[in-house]
Amino acid sequence: MIAPGGEVADGLGNGTVHAVLSVALVVGYVVVLTLVAVRARAAREYAEFSLARRALPLALIFGSLCATYVGAVFSIGFVGRGFQSGFLFFFIGLAYSLQNVLVGILIAPRLRALSDCHTLGDVIGQRYNGTCHVLAGIISVGLCTGFAAVMAKAGGVVLNDVFGLPPWSSVTIVVGITTLYTATGGLRASVITDAFQFTAFAILLPIVLLVSLAFHLEGGSAAFMEQAATATRDAVGSMSCVEIIGLLTAFFLGETLIPPYANRALASETTRVARNGFVLGGLFSIIWFLIMVSLGIVARGAIAGGTDEDRVLLNLVKTIMPTEGYVLLLVVTVSIIMSSLDSLLNAGAVAFTQDIVRPLRRVPDVAALDVGRAATIIIAVAAAAGAVAVPTLIKGLLICYTVWAPAILPALVLGLWLRRPRPLAGILSMVIGAVVALAWQFLWADKTGIPAIIPALVAALLAYLFGHFFGTSEGEKNE
Amino acid sequence: MTAVIFAIIILSAVLVIASGIWVAVALIGAIAHIERGPASAEDRAPDKDRT
């Protein structure tokens, strides 16, 4: 890493030229990003702010979806995991890929086919009742704020490492810039800047891999495979079966249809675009994970063995790329984080407006747009404040995963597939799923070694079954 | 076997770069579409399941 203060110059050698070029790269990237955001234009109507008029084409849905899920964990984190455990996390990541493909085939087109839905809360409200709608909204806003806090922390860490800024100002810069274009342009600005950011990292990071394979692979392909086999074997041997099942479950369900993904399904141009966007996104994640994990394996022969896993990617790039390449990668890293953060801020703001405010009081579209913008800012401030409380990136994400899957997925998926879903089932599964997830995570996860997502999912499903058999549907009530 | 895995990794890298270029082209098109001004008649059609 470039340490605060003097080491920049050391790393550059005689480096005024390098320093100027590096600054020019950073400034150039920020200027282009700003131009792209400005071209996206301010949202003038609530339908533009929340769903970009439901007119997004396949390439933008695909790029934005990928940019949203490729956050700090699926880039920096996966390179670190490849460094530590070879191909193990590539295989675990396949659970995530499978989930995306299944969502594309089974759920995304059904979501898109529903009319007058801006959020998952709307979907749940349509299938159950108003109470479920608000409950889903509260969970969505809470989750988006939590995820955004993790992303704000990640952005802050990178800026802090690069420029030596105090953590609070690093977080403020990342959150401030992201909030500015998200609050102004809504979903369309978020999707368009995501597409730009996707382009940057989808081109640059594979180039880093190709360069490292071509010029920096100690011992050639045989050594690469030997490193991969050794690391994978050691990692598999050090994990229990329950741990691996817990990880597979978390990757399979933890991010399933979180609000930003659902918004992209709802904002697609057609049901076919919704389906293909998610299927392609799932297939893309397979090759993306392979590249990230391979970078980690290459790094085993290029950087010191005891390197902290969150620093493997940056240390590798610093070792094998010229200074400008390293600086550009740092910018791209911040970009990866911002593309996830903007999606979370927009999804949280739309969920707040649509699922909490609108069911409780009648709000016209013009006022809803203002509420959405204000909510974006409030969630951003809460996320920036919460970033300080996030223990580690992985821990923060796992808490969010743990709550989301049990609290929302049974009610959402069964609600979409059952002919007459019962509100009692939805309420019980959401409340019990969330409570068991939080209680297990903080009280029993360490003692038992069982990841909270598993018991919480079981409890949510049982609660749903109970509510389904003992409750009545809205239609039955009216009869 | 090693050669096959290597070829898959390199092919994956090329595919990711191609995805990035595809999205970039679509992005340029989307921005041009926005700059052309108000939505076309087709865009303004009532929301329906256009499968």
Side-chain angles (χ1 to χ4, degrees):
Chain A
M1 304 299 304
I2 299 177
E7 277 185 43
V8 177
D10 295 343
L12 298 175
N14 53 8
T16 309
V17 175
H18 287 302
V20 170
L21 275 173
S22 301
V23 170
L25 274 171
V26 174
V27 172
Y29 187 87
V30 172
V31 167
V32 175
L33 179 65
T34 309
L35 281 175
V36 169
V38 168
R39 293 286 170 95
R41 292 192 179 169
R44 281 158 296 192
E45 294 172 27
Y46 181 65
E48 261 183 336
F49 182 85
S50 59
L51 288 181
R53 288 182 178 277
R54 308 189 95 178
L56 295 175
L58 178 62
L60 290 189
I61 290 291
F62 164 77
S64 172
L65 187 63
C66 296
T68 302
Y69 73 64
V70 177
V73 172
F74 285 177
S75 53
I76 297 171
F78 259 60
V79 175
R81 292 291 170 160
F83 183 75
Q84 300 280 7
S85 51
F87 282 120
L88 174 66
F89 267 75
F90 167 69
F91 294 114
I92 288 174
L94 292 182
Y96 180 83
S97 311
L98 176 66
Q99 171 263 119
N100 246 333
V101 172
L102 289 177
V103 165
I105 294 169
L106 300 174
I107 300 178
R110 282 174 178 262
L111 282 180
R112 177 59 185 83
L114 294 169
S115 56
D116 293 330
C117 281
H118 293 250
T119 61
L120 279 183
D122 273 340
V123 176
I124 287 178
Q126 271 194 17
R127 301 298 295 157
Y128 297 93
N129 66 5
T131 310
C132 290
H133 187 173
V134 176
L135 205 50
I138 292 168
I139 294 170
S140 298
V141 173
L143 178 107
C144 286
T145 310
F147 265 126
V150 177
M151 294 303 156
K153 168 141 184 141
V157 166
V158 174
L159 280 195
N160 173 252
D161 277 357
V162 177
F163 299 112
L165 295 171
W168 65 267
S169 57
S170 307
V171 168
T172 305
I173 290 171
V174 171
V175 175
I177 293 172
T178 313
T179 307
L180 194 63
Y181 69 75
T182 311
T184 312
L187 184 65
R188 189 169 64 189
S190 167
V191 166
I192 284 182
T193 49
D194 282 357
F196 172 71
Q197 286 153 341
F198 172 83
T199 298
F201 67 72
I203 292 174
L204 285 172
L205 284 176
I207 287 175
V208 173
L209 175 67
L210 293 175
V211 168
S212 59
L213 287 177
F215 304 112
H216 299 277
L217 193 56
E218 297 284 334
S221 56
F224 175 89
M225 288 308 296
E226 199 181 310
Q227 290 273 15
T230 308
T232 310
R233 206 170 32 242
D234 291 350
V236 172
S238 69
M239 291 179 83
S240 70
C241 214
V242 175
E243 276 178 299
I244 292 179
I245 291 171
L247 276 171
L248 284 170
T249 312
F251 273 83
F252 186 68
L253 295 174
E255 277 198 21
T256 304
L257 278 175
I258 59 171
Y261 303 167
N263 284 9
R264 277 145 186 80
L266 292 165
S268 302
E269 204 172 18
T270 63
T271 53
R272 182 179 292 179
V273 166
R275 184 190 64 206
N276 293 349
F278 275 76
V279 170
L280 282 177
L283 296 177
F284 177 84
S285 66
I286 297 175
I287 53 177
W288 179 258
F289 294 152
L290 184 61
I291 289 172
M292 293 298 102
V293 167
S294 299
L295 271 170
I297 295 168
V298 171
R300 287 172 71 89
I303 63 173
T307 306
D308 176 58
E309 68 176 55
D310 285 345
R311 309 208 180 266
V312 171
L313 176 61
L314 294 170
N315 280 8
L316 174 69
V317 174
K318 193 177 181 184
T319 306
I320 68 170
M321 300 289 278
T323 308
E324 291 79 4
Y326 174 63
V327 171
L328 192 59
L329 185 97
L330 292 172
V331 176
V332 168
T333 307
V334 176
S335 218
I336 286 173
I337 293 162
M338 281 168 67
S339 64
S340 298
L341 181 60
D342 64 26
S343 306
L344 290 160
L345 292 179
N346 176 259
V350 175
F352 178 80
T353 311
Q354 193 69 19
D355 302 337
I356 298 176
V357 175
R358 284 192 136 181
L360 299 177
R361 57 183 300 183
R362 188 176 290 275
V363 180
D365 273 3
V366 179
L369 179 59
D370 293 335
V371 172
R373 286 193 168 130
T376 308
I377 295 166
I378 291 167
I379 292 171
V381 171
V388 182
V390 174
T392 65
L393 299 183
I394 294 283
K395 210 168 183 179
L397 279 181
L398 280 177
I399 293 170
C400 296
Y401 286 173
T402 297
V403 176
W404 177 254
I408 291 290
L409 290 184
L412 175 68
V413 176
L414 292 170
L416 280 172
W417 280 89
L418 290 175
R419 185 180 292 273
R420 284 187 167 185
R422 318 274 160 72
L424 181 63
I427 292 169
L428 284 179
S429 84
M430 284 193 272
V431 171
I432 290 177
V435 170
V436 172
L438 286 170
W440 197 284
Q441 177 71 27
F442 290 110
L443 299 177
W444 301 303
D446 289 340
K447 288 179 195 163
T448 59
I450 299 172
I453 194 169
I454 295 174
L457 260 176
V458 172
L461 282 168
L462 289 175
Y464 194 96
L465 282 177
F466 180 86
H468 188 74
F469 287 114
F470 292 100
T472 51
S473 71
E474 289 294 287
E476 286 164 348
K477 271 185 198 168
N478 295 337
E479 286 162 14
Chain B
M1 186 65 177
T2 301
V4 172
I5 294 175
F6 238 67
I8 292 171
I9 291 171
I10 290 168
L11 184 64
S12 300
V14 173
L15 278 175
V16 170
I17 292 171
S19 307
I21 294 169
W22 175 47
V23 173
V25 171
L27 176 63
I28 293 166
I31 289 174
H33 180 76
I34 292 168
E35 295 215 321
R36 273 201 300 271
S40 66
E42 187 190 345
D43 293 331
R44 288 191 174 282
D47 186 33
K48 59 186 177 186
D49 180 17
R50 289 179 285 174
T51 54

